[in-house]
Amino acid sequence: MKDYNFAYLDEATKRMIRRAILKAVAVPGYQVPFASREMPMPYGWGTGGVQVTAACLTPEDRLKVIDQGADDTTNAVSIRKFFQRTAGIDVTERTHEATIIQTRHRIPEAPLTEGQILVYQVPIPEPLRFLEPRETETRRMHALEEYGLMHVKLYEDIARNGEIATAYAYPVKVQGRYVMDPSPIPKFDNPKLSDCAALQLFGAGREQRIYALPPHTQVVSLDFDDHPFVAAKAPHACDLCGDAASYLDEVITDDAGGRMFVCSDTDHCATRRASGHAGRLGGSEGAAA
Amino acid sequence: MIVVRDVAKRFTLHNQGGAVLEVMAGASLRVGPGECVGLVGASGAGKSTLMRMIWGNYRIDAGSIRVAGVELAGAEPRQVIALRRATLGHVSQFLRVVPRVPALDVVAEPLLALGIDEDSARAQAAALLSRLNIPERLWPLSPTTFSGGEQQRVNIARGFVHPWPVLLLDEPTASLDAANREVVLSLIEEARGRGAAILGIFHDEGARARVCTRLVDVSGFAVAA
Amino acid sequence: MTGAHPLLSVRDLTRSYGTRRGCADIAFDLWPGEVMGIVGESGSGKSTLLGCLAGHLVPDAGRVVFDTRAEGPRDVLAMAEPERRMLARTDWAFVHQNPRDGLRMGVSAGGNVGERLMAVGARHYGQIRSQALDWLGRVEIAADRIDDKPRQFSGGMQQRLQIARNLVTGPRLVFMDEPTGGLDVSVQARLLDLLRGLVRQMGLSAVIVTHDLAVVRLLADRLMVMKDGLVVEQGLTDQVLDDPQHPYTQLLVSSVLQA
């Protein structure tokens, strides 16, 4: 390990990224440009999150990596192994044991605590992008707080679907100032963004942007008075652990329409089953890895 | 109400070698409330030129024209527009309208511009169109599709729909049949009766004799070529 | 209709493109309720002038004083950008020649009309929608087209939608750049009639750039004629057209084909 810089990135790059992170923390919700490096994985696989994680890691950290809530998917396993090899740090699948959690598309069910850092992988950081393609114009809109367009998107949703159909990457306003894309987390997770005890960092590698929510930042999901924000989820309980309040994945089990709903947060589900909770299909068959 | 004093007019034709045509000098006249003054003189003597200077679409090169106390020589556009809206009415020989606008709305428009509500403006316009024998089936159609005589009557209706205190009439009875001519003449008499100051050009001698209280020959204002 | 101040008061407005003159020494007062036309051939500086007035271009010199609702006359060019943009989406409107420049083609008609309302803080979907419906009606677009995108509309409908989108916040000053350009003659007439009605009902002031003298005769109270970046003649519209004084205006008027 001594032959390499700790956690893959060279020290100059880490300093550059840390500066961007500090700026992002100082201006919650503001997208700070940074000189994103080539990473040994394709864009879209978390290059932004990996750089932010690498810049934050210390030898004492314990890392958890989740993809859609799960610790055992290809993406999560690859990134976890990457940091085991390049930083030699400890890893874990337990949310409460981790000091840094890199995530793609979910916020863990268990409340985060002070001292933890949650790093989001972000594909497109600009919430206004699909409404206004010009970056010059969207930056000016952020600078001048011209966010009418964001509500146009929600208006279009209601006009077309009768309700705000945006189910993920649901736009939020940070501390009454910047409108922010929370990355493609389900809108079910949006309330957890607000007043969170952990530091939340967002990294977009291809788009070269970092933004942040310092602990206990106020985050409000945009909505209309007569169409208020609803943190929706599938109207079921987990078939494995029986939790009626967690976010669920639908799993097709056969060709005859059979399906089951399971917690998308694998650690949450396993922890519940370990302490004796059971769902429709019992607690035994999907035992945690 | 109309006071014309020592007015001169020339045209400089820049695109024809800068030729300068002096067409009028020393023109003076007055029209008081309840008067109907007819302009007479040979064709080309300057009747229309004088009318246009009073209406404001020709510039006044020298002298003074006051309409209801407003000096038109060198007037700001907004002064002229305000004058035309409330005080100075005009029946020209040509109807200039946006195609597709119904005849009824063409006639009601001056009232709408004065802030009168649409229903009563349309009702007044309808009454006048009936009186001028424009069949009701034509009201919703654009007058651009009408015959010359019908267009002229729409134009007259527009010119009489508001009781303007000052009226300019350019050949109001041209191309009208006897019945409609009679209606127009009585409209002029009624306007005079309510105290309007009227200045007109009438080639129709019978009409001139019937409505005019006085005639002014413009030949004396013409500049010899 | 006449207030104590001009709504817009322009002095010494100059804009160059390098050594080439865009427009120079422009001065005029526009009063509440007045419609002013600007005519001239391509390259005469009329679009540059409109751009400078509307804040799309930064002039090199001059003043553009607007009579604001809250604070009375203010030099727009000296305003901070947030303030100027706020003005541009509340009290001002800009109708582009090409509706694509003034509409969001990927957003429904209702969303296009509602955007300005949402930009100034409207947060009640039902009210935004009913105001959008009201405005679609006023520009003669059928209510059942509210959720259609402008790219499904004809050119004339797109232009009417652009007008609705601009006027929904009840602006007092409208800038129009060739609003009837590129439309069929019959469609032009309908649009002209609509604009006249809206100007009258809302007491709008407007600055309309066009090269079509028939359009200004029907829409504008006053006319400004530009050539080579300078104003060569201005005055009452029918006086400028019926009794033009400047050689260029005479040429312009005499060159019009009579229909």
Side-chain angles (χ1 to χ4, degrees), chain B residues 25-65:
Chain B
S28 298
L29 64 82
R30 317 174 135 260
V31 183
E35 273 196 297
C36 178
V37 175
L39 294 177
V40 293
S43 181
K47 301 185 293 292
S48 295
T49 300
L50 187 57
M51 290 275 276
R52 286 176 188 161
M53 283 193 283
I54 299 169
W55 176 241
N57 61 329
Y58 272 16
R59 223 165 72 144
I60 300 157
D61 292 325
S64 153
I65 296 179

Side-chain angles (χ1 to χ4, degrees), chain C residues 186-208:
Chain C
S186 62
V187 179
Q188 274 192 22
R190 187 173 184 189
L191 194 68
L192 283 175
D193 178 37
L194 179 73
L195 285 172
R196 272 163 69 106
L198 291 170
V199 162
R200 186 185 63 228
Q201 289 155 18
M202 301 176 74
L204 294 175
S205 302
V207 178
I208 299 175

Side-chain angles (χ1 to χ4, degrees), chain B residues 9 12 57 59 84 109, chain C residues 2 196 238 242-243 250:
Chain B
K9 180 67 193 166
T12 308
N57 61 329
R59 223 165 72 144
R84 288 178 181 178
E109 195 183 14
Chain C
T2 302
R196 272 163 69 106
D238 57 6
D242 294 343
D243 187 15
Q250 291 187 355

Side-chain angles (χ1 to χ4, degrees), chain B residues 12-25:
Chain B
T12 308
L13 307 176
H14 293 284
N15 298 306
Q16 290 172 37
V20 177
L21 300 178
E22 302 278 355
V23 295
M24 189 176 286

Side-chain angles (χ1 to χ4, degrees), chain A residues 51-284:
Chain A
Q51 290 178 77
V52 170
T53 299
C56 290
L57 274 179
T58 64
E60 297 75 37
D61 273 313
R62 189 176 294 117
L63 179 69
K64 169 181 163 81
V65 182
I66 50 175
D67 176 3
Q68 314 253 25
D71 294 89
D72 52 3
T73 58
T74 312
N75 194 247
V77 171
S78 305
I79 292 174
R80 200 160 57 225
K81 280 193 176 153
F82 173 76
F83 281 116
Q84 279 179 294
R85 274 180 65 181
T86 59
I89 39 108
D90 290 339
V91 295
T92 179
E93 295 188 0
R94 315 304 298 270
T95 299
H96 71 271
E97 286 176 2
T99 55
I100 298 185
I101 304 170
Q102 180 170 333
T103 178
R104 175 172 173 269
H105 300 191
R106 273 310 309 275
I107 298 175
E109 301 289 353
L112 301 177
T113 55
E114 265 158 44
Q116 286 184 308
I117 300 176
L118 184 60
V119 178
Y120 295 78
Q121 299 172 202
V122 181
I124 297 189
E126 179 49 72
L128 302 164
R129 172 66 47 83
F130 292 105
L131 301 153
E132 173 54 68
R134 290 167 296 183
E135 177 84 12
T136 48
E137 192 59 21
T138 55
R139 294 184 76 162
R140 188 173 286 127
M141 290 158 92
H142 282 295
L144 300 174
E145 236 181 311
E146 288 182 9
Y147 290 131
L149 200 50
M150 208 65 249
H151 272 86
V152 172
K153 180 181 187 304
L154 302 180
Y155 168 94
E156 292 287 286
D157 255 14
I158 303 173
R160 213 173 302 130
N161 307 299
E163 59 178 10
I164 299 177
T166 301
Y168 62 94
Y170 190 105
V172 295
K173 194 161 201 183
V174 177
Q175 206 73 30
R177 178 59 182 84
Y178 286 97
V179 165
M180 186 189 96
D181 181 326
S183 87
I185 59 171
K187 67 178 173 183
F188 173 81
D189 282 343
N190 269 25
K192 295 183 214 154
L193 292 163
S194 191
D195 198 28
C196 175
L199 169 63
Q200 302 175 80
L201 301 176
F202 299 78
R206 182 184 50 212
E207 301 288 327
Q208 312 195 324
R209 293 290 183 276
I210 286 171
Y211 49 103
L213 296 172
H216 305 293
T217 301
Q218 185 211 16
V219 179
V220 177
S221 302
L222 301 180
D223 62 3
F224 286 102
D225 298 344
D226 49 344
H227 285 267
F229 171 81
V230 180
K233 60 166 286 237
H236 298 277
C238 173
D239 285 332
L240 299 180
C241 76
D243 191 349
S246 74
Y247 192 72
L248 301 173
D249 287 338
E250 182 180 1
V251 181
I252 305 298
T253 51
D254 54 35
D255 290 344
R259 57 181 188 167
M260 62 190 281
F261 288 95
V262 296
C263 291
S264 99
D265 185 335
T266 50
D267 173 55
H268 174 75
C269 198
T271 305
R272 276 178 57 86
R273 277 179 284 149
S275 59
H277 295 279
R280 185 173 63 91
L281 303 175
S284 56

